[in-house]
Amino acid sequence: MKLGFNEATTLRNSNLIKDLEYCEKLGYDYIEIRTEDKLTEYLQNHTLEELVYFFDTHHIKPLALNALIFFNNRDEAGHKAIIDEFKDMVEKASKIGAKYIVAVPLVTEEKILKNEIKKSCVEVLKELSMIAEPYDVKIAVEFIGHPQATVNTFAQAYDIIQTVNRENVGLVFDCFHFHAMGSQLDDLKKADGSKIFILHIDDTEDFPIGILTDEDRVWPGFGAIDLDNILSTLKAIGYSDVVSVELFRPEYYQLTAEETIKTAKDTTLKVISKYYDLNAVKN
């Protein structure tokens, strides 16, 4: 297994250049690049060619562009905007060598029937799949563990990508989101591990199911998520690719970026190393 870093973990105390510098220094293998803020900021004074050169000359590599937000159940104008945004993202991902684009389902106060959610997700993901295929970029759908998210459990998300049935469409498995809406281990045990493209590692304070928010996340191993059973199940179904740490903790944004990135690595390795060989990850 390889070690990745999601830039949300330093959302308020760093930028792409610093994240790359510290992740390289601390031995990370991959980075998930936030497109909405950190990549946009980077491109104000730098070029994609400079970013390509960095990856060509350093150990760390781009894992994903994160994220295509609210891709399903949009009106005509919203759908067109999503397709245009995705085309731009897939070209950037291909150019820098990122394997995945993370796609996030709609979060809304509107009540939408589950069959309408599934129908929209399947149709849009098939369209995105066709666009991405020539670029050799895959789509990693991330279910969101909040009541207002249209796709908020592992079972619901897995059913959608199974229905899409395209090689380049799979899931992000985020431990926080799995826990936050009470997704079931039995559903994970029946899944095909090859359809999980990225593993997000995190933990959370022990609030009731259904009211957790991203700000409740804590260092891996410091919270209430049953990471032992989740990780042992993921290993049993054949997942062994990349574990990427993703936190949104306001207190952690008060630390220096280097301290955040180092602590994220140290706590992740302590939890993961019980189940996966991370000898390739050096201090």
Side-chain angles (χ1 to χ4, degrees), residues 1-2 276-283:
M1 178 168 286
K2 299 296 184 180
Y276 291 98
D277 180 8
L278 286 160
N279 289 332
V281 182
K282 304 294 184 183
N283 287 309

Side-chain angles (χ1 to χ4, degrees), residues 24-79:
E24 176 74 12
K25 175 182 176 181
L26 291 165
Y28 282 80
D29 301 293
Y30 288 103
I31 188 167
E32 290 184 78
I33 298 173
R34 284 182 60 93
T35 53
E36 182 179 0
D37 34 54
K38 291 192 176 183
L39 181 60
T40 298
E41 179 191 32
Y42 175 88
L43 291 176
Q44 290 175 359
N45 298 299
H46 301 275
T47 65
L48 276 182
E49 287 74 19
E50 290 176 79
L51 194 55
V52 171
Y53 179 77
F54 179 90
F55 288 127
D56 285 345
T57 56
H58 292 78
H59 170 76
I60 194 166
K61 296 295 183 279
L63 179 65
L65 295 186
N66 199 326
L68 182 72
I69 298 174
F70 303 166
F71 68 86
N72 58 297
N73 295 96
R74 306 292 293 269
D75 60 19
E76 184 176 350
H79 176 70

Side-chain angles (χ1 to χ4, degrees), residues 13 52 103 114 117 132 150-151 190:
N13 59 342
V52 171
K114 288 181 70 175
I117 293 168
T150 51
V151 183
K190 294 180 286 188

